Amino acid sequence: MVEIEIDGKKVEVPAGSMVMDAANKLGTYIPHFCYHKKLSIAANCRMCLVEVEKAPKPLPACATPVSAGMIVRSASDKAVQAQKSVMEFLLINHPLDCPICDQGGECQLQDLAVGYGKSESRYKEDKRVVTPKEAGPLVSMQEMSRCIQCTRCVRFGQEVAGVMELGMIGRGEHSEIVSFVGQSVDSELSGNMIDLCPVGALTSKPFRYSARTWELSRRKSVSPHDGLGANLIVQVKAGKVKRVLPLENEAVNECWISDKDRFSYEALDSAERLTSPMLKQGNEWKEVDWQTALEYVAHGLKNIKHEHGADAIAALATPHSTVEELVLLQKVANGLGSENVDFRLRQTDFALDAGVKPWLGMPINEFGQIKRAFVIGSFLRKDHPLLATRLRASVKGGAKLSILHASDDDQLITIANKMIVAPSDWLAALSEVVVAVAKAKEITAPAGFEAVNASDVAVAIAASLMAGDNGAVLLGNAATQHPQASQLHAAAQWIAEQTGAKLGYLTEAANTVGAHLVAKPRANVQAAFAVPKKAYVLLHAEPELDAANPQAARAALDGADMVVAMSAFKHGMDYADVLLPIAPFAETSGTFVNCEGRAQSFNGTVKPLADTRPAWKVLRVLGNILGLAGFDYDTSEAIRDEAFGAGVTDLSAQLNNIAKNAPEAASYAPASSALQRIADVPIYFADALVRRSEPLLRTVDGAAPQAHLSLALAEKLGIKAGDKVKVAQGSGSAILVAAIHAGLPANVVKVSAAHASTASLGGMFGDITVETAEGKI
């Protein structure tokens, strides 16, 4: 530790720290623009000049290392004069458009100009003008004349997002920030550049010119999307959500959020919003009042129970539902006598024992310090954007990452070892790693693995996992959705135990962990669709997009006597009988449990739209109409406290990744001409909210799915990128545009799920055929 003095106060900081770090520790503010605690040092702006005793001239606090006995003055006449001189230079070319600038009221330049700027400029020449840029539907670069070349946006792309989408060209007054020629900003984290910009050069395109910061009220919330549970600030004007920003929480999302978290609010005002209860009568939809709708539902469910038994009723929810909603949905179903309640809509293998309640297996902060990781079946960067940033930072710091997957996508992370094989061969690949670990440890492999031989890459993965402490074996969304998920888990668990690594799940949705804690499914969704029920109650679920096998789901729903869709949006109009408008996350209160087992409660930020009601209130009233006991809750907090206990937020002790299943060996399937499907869930189609956000749907990731073929397969079939092809699976088919993907095995076709254009296909895994649009090749 090194002791220095700043403005008469002494402080100790680690050797190698900068003066700015010492000032931050003391709570002493030094004006700055280019410095950011999460980014590398650039020392571009020079606004943080301070006086250092015995130094001949002021030095930048962000780039001056501390030394023992150093005496720093941040507010002396010499320092302040230097800071004022820098401010004068910064303002020389800055346009005088504060009255129309979206950054007005939260602009660092504006704030510091008050303290360090002159009342009038000595600069009389014409100000420079920078040509506006087009950066896509999310980030506006229309006022780049405001840019002060701090390069925060450039450094964020390189260092945090992992892709350099913006850069600085030119010198002197000709310097400007640009994107690559003809390219938009497509990172799933691009919106953070807006927050980082200290002036109004980069602004939010959807929010542009819609409100002033002082007109907005700010309310805390939690992301309803992926399993991280990013903390949010929702900004509201006149009862409408106008903007979503990150709420800094170092233990969860640091100071970042993904674009999915940031821009999904645009769906709240979608034309597809369901605003009144609706009943289908004579194939015509009619709006009714809540009492009529709920009495109709209760009467229908009672009749079906009476005529067909309670087992003919199923209640299905998405894991984006809150804890409170899931508790009451289960109570309604169980109160009717049905055990058919599930939220694992994209899962097909339910062989793991009920004691497994999957979670990350460690705190998120520990995840960011992993030194050796083996990720199995994950579209990591798109499925878990913010977890990927932590893993990317670990790898940049020397960690080694190995992956097993069917699609070698660019994760923007250096991969040490990779096994890219067809989904049917994942277990065989893991079997090789099991054997390699056993050989390296000089122990006997589990029974049944005698005939397995480890490949070089399996040996390398085993060696990487055994190279030191702080390792993790992580199962991704695709591994959970795999037809052999339980066997993959058993093999991964054995590998983790033998290498001293932690076993974790990169959980799919905002409340996957919470759902496992409170829903306690005794039946499963696959059975609920395979043996069709007479009645389905759907909570936030759109089975044609959310189910593992849309064909089976749709067939079951079409044949049901009653389908009750509880949703914020109009959907399922052709198979549903009742539509009940329920509130999305911004209009209700509830609790999500994130991947590390942290329960995070939130309140509604705006009133429910029109006749929309919070789902927990709808289920409470439905329970009362059905005459069921235990539905006398006044608040969502009462339901949460009953489920977890009052004040309990850390639920990790109730979670468990360890199963009793013994690992089973597998060998690679013999080469055949059959093609296999690997299906990702695109980042902007993962749930009902994002798939209706217009700005997100205009991005590259929001485009309609394509049929991705390996180069070898495309050449074999005579298909070129851009050709129309017919892909068929089960009893359905779809016409898609072909794309060439160099990272696919020869027998694998990547076709995304969760989109209307592919909803006619079968399961997310399995055999698939590819034909030309005109006929079979």
Side-chain angles (χ1 to χ4, degrees):
M1 299 291 285
V2 176
E3 183 180 82
I4 71 167
E5 180 183 305
I6 301 180
D7 296 338
K9 298 177 183 176
K10 292 186 177 181
V11 62
E12 284 190 348
V13 291
S17 299
M18 301 298 157
V19 171
M20 185 71 85
D21 300 324
N24 289 340
K25 189 172 181 179
L26 274 176
T28 298
Y29 179 74
I30 297 176
H32 59 272
F33 293 110
C34 69
Y35 168 80
H36 190 277
K37 63 183 178 182
K38 294 290 184 181
L39 303 177
S40 63
I41 295 166
N44 288 342
C45 71
R46 319 308 280 186
M47 190 64 209
C48 64
L49 291 175
V50 293
E51 181 183 357
V52 178
E53 194 170 272
K54 298 182 181 177
K57 58 184 180 181
L59 300 175
C62 69
T64 302
V66 297
S67 59
M70 177 184 278
I71 297 175
V72 178
R73 300 182 183 89
S74 67
S76 65
D77 290 344
K78 186 176 182 180
V80 170
Q81 186 54 49
Q83 293 159 0
K84 287 185 174 182
S85 297
V86 169
M87 177 59 71
E88 185 174 19
F89 277 111
L90 287 174
L91 293 175
I92 277 176
N93 274 313
H94 199 77
L96 304 176
D97 61 352
C98 292
I100 63 161
C101 178
D102 264 355
Q103 197 84 349
E106 51 190 12
C107 173
Q108 278 183 261
L109 185 68
Q110 201 174 54
D111 292 342
L112 292 179
V114 173
Y116 299 91
K118 296 192 174 185
S119 57
E120 62 180 70
S121 173
R122 294 184 287 169
Y123 187 77
K124 304 301 180 185
E125 289 75 16
D126 291 337
K127 293 179 181 284
R128 78 168 190 158
V129 176
V130 178
T131 307
K133 313 292 188 301
E134 179 52 53
L138 304 180
V139 180
S140 173
M141 297 180 71
Q142 293 302 300
E143 286 90 12
M144 292 308 291
S145 296
R146 299 171 183 161
C147 178
I148 59 172
Q149 288 82 48
C150 71
T151 69
R152 279 185 179 182
C153 56
V154 178
R155 285 176 283 146
F156 171 81
Q158 287 178 298
E159 298 163 18
V160 180
V163 55
M164 184 176 176
E165 294 186 291
L166 297 179
M168 189 162 72
I169 62 171
R171 293 175 66 83
E173 71 169 5
H174 301 294
S175 299
E176 56 181 296
I177 301 294
V178 298
S179 61
F180 285 89
V181 178
Q183 294 189 16
S184 56
V185 175
D186 300 320
S187 166
E188 60 280 358
L189 301 169
S190 66
N192 293 292
M193 296 179 181
I194 300 167
D195 298 336
L196 287 171
C197 185
V199 293
L202 302 179
T203 54
S204 168
K205 194 168 278 189
F207 174 71
R208 189 171 158 84
Y209 295 149
S210 64
R212 284 298 198 180
T213 181
W214 53 83
E215 300 173 318
L216 301 170
S217 57
R218 292 159 175 77
R219 288 142 196 188
K220 296 178 181 179
S221 191
V222 178
S223 166
H225 304 300
D226 62 46
L228 186 87
N231 291 194
L232 309 176
I233 295 175
V234 178
Q235 299 190 330
V236 176
K237 177 185 176 183
K240 296 283 187 183
V241 175
K242 289 293 184 181
R243 188 166 60 164
V244 174
L245 299 175
L247 173 63
E248 186 170 349
N249 185 338
E250 198 64 26
V252 180
N253 56 301
E254 301 176 277
C255 54
W256 316 123
I257 54 174
S258 68
D259 290 351
K260 179 164 60 172
D261 301 329
R262 185 182 300 271
F263 296 109
S264 66
Y265 75 88
E266 286 283 311
L268 297 175
D269 294 321
S270 165
E272 294 182 46
R273 277 298 298 268
L274 178 64
T275 56
S276 296
M278 299 181 75
L279 298 181
K280 187 189 284 184
Q281 298 176 341
N283 285 327
E284 287 188 13
W285 284 99
K286 295 184 178 179
E287 293 186 356
V288 296
D289 59 72
W290 271 104
Q291 190 69 22
T292 301
L294 290 177
E295 286 180 355
Y296 180 90
V297 171
H299 181 72
L301 293 176
K302 284 180 178 179
N303 276 355
I304 287 169
K305 177 183 177 181
H306 177 71
E307 294 175 12
H308 304 282
D311 191 56
I313 300 171
L316 304 174
T318 72
H320 299 277
S321 309
T322 67
V323 163
E324 294 79 0
E325 293 165 357
L326 291 168
V327 166
L328 294 190
L329 182 69
Q330 173 124 356
K331 274 196 168 190
V332 167
N334 293 168
L336 289 168
S338 173
E339 300 289 348
N340 301 313
V341 184
D342 205 357
F343 57 88
R344 301 164 295 178
L345 301 187
R346 295 195 176 105
Q347 196 167 322
T348 55
D349 179 3
F350 302 92
L352 281 179
D353 60 86
V356 173
K357 300 189 184 304
W359 68 300
L360 189 60
M362 67 196 86
I364 291 170
N365 273 338
E366 281 188 27
F367 179 86
Q369 296 163 7
I370 288 173
K371 294 303 178 190
R372 49 204 175 93
F374 183 24
V375 177
I376 302 164
S378 176
F379 295 92
L380 182 64
R381 179 182 153 207
K382 302 298 182 181
D383 288 347
H384 311 283
L386 293 175
L387 284 178
T389 64
R390 289 186 181 255
L391 199 52
R392 185 176 297 117
S394 292
V395 170
K396 289 175 74 173
K400 300 297 181 186
L401 171 63
S402 304
I403 64 167
L404 166 60
H405 204 24
S407 178
D408 189 10
D409 299 323
D410 186 2
Q411 304 296 343
L412 304 176
I413 307 174
T414 302
I415 311 288
N417 310 289
K418 59 180 74 170
M419 302 178 86
I420 307 299
V421 296
S424 62
D425 291 327
W426 286 6
L427 188 56
L430 275 185
S431 297
E432 289 189 353
V433 180
V434 167
V435 170
V437 169
K439 186 176 180 180
K441 288 194 71 176
E442 299 181 347
I443 61 174
T444 303
F449 285 77
E450 294 81 9
V452 176
N453 294 312
S455 62
D456 290 344
V457 66
V459 171
I461 291 173
S464 173
L465 287 171
M466 297 175 66
D469 296 328
N470 220 2
V473 178
L474 302 161
L475 293 154
N477 293 358
T480 305
Q481 296 152 3
H482 195 278
Q484 296 174 300
S486 59
Q487 294 165 282
L488 295 176
H489 175 108
Q493 180 178 318
W494 191 92
I495 292 167
E497 288 171 347
Q498 298 304 320
T499 59
K502 291 182 178 176
L503 178 66
Y505 274 86
L506 302 171
T507 55
E508 177 185 6
N511 200 33
T512 297
V513 174
H516 275 280
L517 286 171
V518 299
K520 303 179 180 65
R522 298 182 182 91
N524 65 69
V525 63
Q526 190 177 32
F529 286 140
V531 181
K533 306 300 179 184
K534 292 297 182 181
Y536 291 93
V537 179
L538 307 176
L539 176 61
H540 294 294
E542 302 175 26
E544 66 274 29
L545 303 176
D546 294 328
N549 189 328
Q551 284 178 9
R554 186 57 194 269
L557 293 167
D558 286 342
D561 291 347
M562 171 181 267
V563 176
V564 180
M566 300 177 64
S567 174
F569 303 97
K570 294 177 182 176
H571 74 87
M573 307 284 281
D574 44 355
Y575 59 75
D577 300 283
V578 186
L579 297 179
L580 302 179
I582 57 173
F585 86 105
E587 300 170 12
T588 186
S589 58
T591 303
F592 293 133
V593 182
N594 74 353
C595 59
E596 67 176 350
R598 180 191 298 254
Q600 300 186 110
S601 296
F602 57 92
N603 293 313
T605 54
V606 293
K607 290 181 180 178
L609 183 65
D611 280 340
T612 300
R613 296 290 182 269
W616 71 268
K617 290 187 177 181
V618 175
L619 290 165
R620 179 194 64 187
V621 175
L622 179 59
N624 289 330
I625 293 175
L626 286 166
L628 304 177
F631 283 84
D632 53 351
Y633 304 102
D634 292 326
T635 64
S636 61
E637 288 83 1
I639 307 172
R640 177 200 63 200
D641 291 347
E642 182 181 281
F644 299 141
V648 176
T649 56
D650 183 2
L651 300 168
S652 59
Q654 301 178 36
L655 301 169
N656 170 47
N657 288 331
I658 306 304
K660 297 174 183 175
N661 305 47
E664 300 176 33
S667 55
Y668 283 95
S672 70
S673 58
L675 301 179
Q676 296 181 39
R677 179 184 182 187
I678 177 70
D680 65 321
V681 177
I683 185 171
Y684 301 143
F685 297 107
D687 60 72
L689 208 59
V690 291
R691 59 176 73 118
R692 290 175 175 86
S693 172
E694 287 297 326
L696 293 178
L697 296 182
R698 292 198 300 270
T699 65
V700 171
D701 285 319
Q706 297 178 315
H708 294 266
L709 315 175
S710 68
L711 185 59
L713 178 60
E715 289 178 349
K716 177 182 175 182
L717 300 179
I719 295 173
K720 295 179 180 150
D723 289 352
K724 285 190 176 180
V725 295
K726 179 181 179 181
V727 295
Q729 194 181 15
S731 60
S733 63
I735 304 296
L736 303 174
V737 175
I740 307 301
H741 191 319
L744 288 174
N747 63 333
V748 173
V749 180
K750 180 181 172 186
V751 180
S752 298
H755 190 271
S757 65
T758 59
S760 57
L761 299 177
M764 297 173 69
F765 297 86
D767 291 349
I768 193 169
T769 62
V770 179
E771 310 170 359
T772 63
E774 294 75 28
K776 190 169 183 178
I777 296 177

